[in-house]
Every structure is written in C-alpha cells, then in structure tokens.
C-alpha cells in the first residue's frame, strides 16, 4: 500500500503522529516494511511427523511420536474402554520416559475419550509415548501435530 506524498493533515489537530514497522538490514540500517520489503520471517521446525495412531485392547506402550515443531500436539482417544492412558515424554530416545506434569501435578492422564491439545515442545529430539493401561474394551488413539 502506498501513501500519498506529501501526507495531508486535517484540522483540528494540525499534526499526525506516524508509526511504522521496520527491521534491521545486514548493514545495520532500518528498512520499513512495505510491499517491496516484506517483514522477513522464518517458519521454525520441519514438516510434521506422520500421526501416531492405532488401537489397543490391553496394556501397551505406543510410540515414539517425534515432535517436529512448536505447534500443539493433539491427542484423540476414542472407543469403549476402561483404564488409563498417560502421555510420557522422552529426550533420550525413549530410555527415560517421564509423565507430563504441570506445577508438579499429573497432567495428560486420561480415563475417557478426548480430543485436545496436550503439549507444545521446544526441545529438539523430544518424543512422546502413550502408556496404555486398559482393563477392558478397545481404545483407538491418535497423536498428531
């Protein structure tokens, strides 16, 4: 969008405060954002991993689900089942899997169907697992970003 030159100023103020967004060029000069010099942005991370999905009819561990960006992780649980599903996190290739907590309290532990965001990750190489402890029924699960 171009602005007329000179800019008209209307009464009653007789002045017009200006504001602009700009960014620093390599030569340390300011470059105002415009259609010819758009704001430089970078998409972080890589393309999302394929969803982790399956079914369980008894105790199981599902994973790993490799986190590839800082976007929310969505967990979907469905079916007719009884038991507990807990989301675990690892940063050492699955050797250590820790349950998610928030303020020191259990987080992302389910005893019923759900479809919700359960985590956002910033650490490179982090993976999520599902610890499935079913006592009856069939559970369908899906983790995706």
């Amino acid at each position: 969008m171009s602005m007329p030159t000179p800019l008209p100023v209307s009464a009653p103020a007789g002045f017009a405060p200006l504001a602009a967004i700009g960014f620093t060029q390599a030569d340390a000069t300011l470059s105002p954002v415009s259609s010819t010099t758009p704001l430089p942005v970078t998409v972080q991370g890589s393309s999302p991993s394929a969803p982790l999905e399956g079914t369980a009819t008894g105790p199981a561990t599902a994973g790993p689900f490799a986190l590839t960006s800082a976007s929310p992780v969505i967990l979907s649980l469905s079916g007719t089942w009884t038991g507990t599903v807990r989301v675990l996190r690892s940063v050492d290739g699955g050797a250590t899997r820790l349950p998610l907590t928030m303020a020191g309290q259990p987080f992302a532990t389910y005893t019923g169907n759900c479809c919700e965001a359960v985590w956002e990750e910033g650490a490179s190489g982090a993976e999520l697992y599902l610890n499935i402890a079913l006592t009856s029924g069939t559970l369908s699960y899906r983790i995706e970003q």
Side-chain angles (χ1 to χ4, degrees), residues 47-98:
S47 58
S49 295
L52 171 66
E53 58 187 329
T55 59
T57 57
T61 299
F65 176 74
L67 300 162
T68 59
S69 68
S71 60
V73 175
I74 307 298
L75 173 65
S76 300
L77 302 175
S78 61
T80 303
W81 56 281
T82 304
T84 303
V85 177
R86 190 170 214 188
V87 181
L88 309 176
R89 178 182 178 268
S90 176
V91 292
D92 60 7
T96 305
R97 300 174 190 171
L98 300 173

Side-chain angles (χ1 to χ4, degrees), residues 86-89 97-102 105-109 119:
R86 190 170 214 188
V87 181
L88 309 176
R89 178 182 178 268
R97 300 174 190 171
L98 300 173
L100 299 182
T101 59
M102 184 174 290
Q105 299 301 310
F107 178 74
T109 300
W119 196 247

